Amino acid sequence: MRAVQIAGREPGGNRMEILLLFILIPPLVGAALNGIFGRRYSQALVSLIGCGASGIAMIFALAAAWTYSHSAADPAPIIQKYFTWIEAGAFRAEFALYYDRLTLVMTLTVTVVAFLIHIYSRGYMEHEGGYYRFFCYLNLFLFMMLVLVTASNYLLMFVGWEGVGLCSYLLIGFYFRKKSASDAGKKAFIVTRIGDAGLTLGVALLFWTFGSVDFQYLAARIDDATPGYMQGTLTAAALLLFLGAVGKSAQLPLYVWLPDAMEGPTPVSALIHAATMVTAGVYLVARSHVLFSHTPVALAVVGTVGALTAFFAATIALVQNDLKRLLAYSTISQLGYMFLACGVGVFSAGIFHLMTHAFFKSLLFLAAGSVMHAMSGELDMRKMGGLRHKLKTTWTTFLVATLAISGVPLFSGFFSKDEILVGVYEGPLGQHWMFWLAALTAAMTAFYMFRGLLMTFHGPPRVTPEAEHHLHESSSKMTLPLVILAFFSVVTGYVGWPATLGGGERFNAYLDPVFGHSVALLTAENMRVTDHRLSHLALMGLSIAAATAGILVAIWFYLRSTQVPGLLASRFDGLYQLLVRKYYVDEFYDWILVHPLRRLSESFLWKTVDAQSIDGIFVDGSAGLTFHAGRLLRRIQSGNLRSYATWILLGAVLWLGYILWH
């Protein structure tokens, strides 16, 4: 393991100590000010505090990145310890922040995207109630996510992990008077708790085994262990951590909360589905790369779940008519790509796609919000069409993001998706079946995204006369972030220009000090001989062909022969209904889990245990006993002297009898 640099001992160390802390403080202060006093503030002041806090955090993240990158020719990871947080017996946890090249990428991505979403929210939420509460939640969400990605140990990371879970519950259920929104918030909270139970057990197992939850210490102990040492324990710990990632990042089988999360305001969808909460699981696996690199079985599970989820979610997205739900299933699929990359041992490719996806997916959601804003809340694409003439900026930016996610050359998604496909085919743990499944998923992605674009913005208008009368482009508060995100959706891919096209793959090289040792270990252990039957250019060509096929089919279906989709749906009605009903997974969960638990809760736990046992014995029973005892004893207090004398005589007789008996 490389030596650790402690801030304050190297040039720039004192600056890093301040910068790291001040990445976290502004969002926390902003959340406190708006949460406590926001009701009294004007809307302008609430916006200034909320957007200012996220903007300051972004500035400090940029300053930390600059300082870290220029502090040495090859800067080592920094662990900045501030104070001892918890100390109990052998357990010790520091409030300490960890900063390396992976942290740099994550903090920049999170703060930039979050800042633009805050700016967009000024326009989107200006006519909504609870304006101050919304910005309080956004700031708190950003703070918790930054804690998650800068923590130096699993316990502090768990605070951020649970914090973003809480904030997602609050934001998804923001319209709490709307039952579907409150139900969606509860669903997200409960489903992700299942994964969080696994994460808790995994962290506990690591502490029980190694006596620490510190990333650097655990990595050193695991790396220095004898090959095969405690293999079962390490595999169990890795799988438990991955269970937490499955819940937070909405992978099979715990993905069902994410589509329902669309009930929250659109900026929430962008924040949760882009660079923040749902990517936390990918970050967890990447940050734990040393552990996973010593457990090939766990990595194989990660890759398999990622590949299957990517394909599964893409098939559902093919038939979605709600624009935001289409994007939600797209997010689940793209997250599957990221896990697939990590699962085959190409962690940097997964993080690369995480970064590019953050920009184009947040752009897609915010553009969908602009459409929703213009359509008075309508999201059914069957009631849209021809909107590009009235929403030119929204259409242009949505087109850029669609080209990016579809993997069209020269857009960011092309470079990151290509890195994953090459890694799946040639990576240390790659499997050819995973590659072909991922390539098919890429074709479906291009199809359903262009389907969404064409149904929304092209073809004959299908809007109602009243809706058409109110159609207008959103204000600059909303369109400016769209334009900036469109710019990033193009240029971010160029940091990973592939060597096949004469580039240096600088993003992979940049993260090599973080992941290089683990990748080398996996390569050496698997002794895999690369199959050169398909060169990098051929793989890239297949990727482009898949995207092209998906785009052309979408154009044919929704611009040229618009009757074909309906005919196919009628011809293959069984398959179509299966996809429309999302494989009946929600119904299955209701049948196997929700309804039995509800019946157990109502008929046994509530009516028998609570009402009859607890209330009947301890509450109603004790009250009844006291009442009847009082009714009996009050006869003594009659106010009659003869009665009192009788009771005294009776008491004396009983007492005398007791003495004589003993």
Side-chain angles (χ1 to χ4, degrees), residues 39-260:
R39 187 185 292 270
R40 308 173 191 172
Y41 294 161
S42 67
Q43 196 174 88
L45 182 55
V46 170
S47 301
L48 179 63
I49 293 172
C51 297
S54 62
I56 293 171
M58 180 184 69
I59 291 171
F60 277 110
L62 290 167
W66 177 268
T67 303
Y68 177 75
S69 299
H70 291 80
S71 61
D74 185 20
I78 291 175
I79 297 179
Q80 177 57 53
K81 299 179 181 179
Y82 293 92
F83 56 87
T84 298
W85 175 31
I86 298 175
E87 188 172 10
F91 180 76
R92 182 184 180 93
E94 306 281 350
F95 183 87
L97 303 181
Y98 187 89
Y99 199 88
D100 63 356
R101 296 186 176 193
L102 176 59
T103 312
L104 184 151
V105 172
M106 293 298 298
T107 52
L108 287 181
T109 303
V110 168
T111 54
V112 170
V113 172
F115 174 65
L116 293 173
I117 292 173
H118 277 73
I119 297 297
Y120 176 94
S121 299
R122 292 167 57 233
Y124 189 88
M125 298 295 295
E126 62 183 347
H127 301 299
E128 299 285 352
Y131 189 82
Y132 75 95
R133 182 165 51 90
F134 182 79
F135 275 92
C136 167
Y137 294 164
L138 283 189
N139 276 177
L140 186 60
F141 196 115
L142 176 58
F143 166 74
M144 289 299 181
M145 188 65 193
L146 289 171
V147 169
L148 192 157
V149 299
T150 58
S152 71
N153 58 70
Y154 281 108
L155 192 62
L156 184 57
M157 180 178 147
F158 188 74
V159 172
W161 185 277
E162 291 300 310
V164 295
L166 170 63
C167 293
S168 70
Y169 163 74
L170 296 173
L171 287 166
I172 294 169
F174 180 78
Y175 301 122
F176 56 86
R177 296 182 185 276
K178 184 180 176 183
K179 187 176 187 304
S180 59
S182 61
D183 287 347
K186 289 183 286 187
K187 184 176 183 179
F189 192 81
I190 293 169
V191 173
T192 53
R193 292 290 77 71
I194 298 172
D196 292 353
L199 176 61
T200 305
L201 293 174
V203 173
L205 181 58
L206 288 173
F207 171 73
W208 183 267
T209 305
F210 297 103
S212 175
V213 292
D214 181 75
F215 292 144
Q216 196 77 9
Y217 178 83
L218 288 172
R221 287 288 306 273
I222 294 170
D223 229 5
D224 294 339
T226 304
Y229 174 69
M230 291 190 299
Q231 192 65 36
T233 301
L234 295 180
T235 301
L239 289 174
L240 287 169
L241 294 184
F242 180 59
L243 178 58
V246 164
K248 196 68 76 181
S249 294
Q251 298 294 283
L252 287 170
L254 301 180
Y255 71 93
V256 291
W257 67 269
L258 195 69
D260 290 349

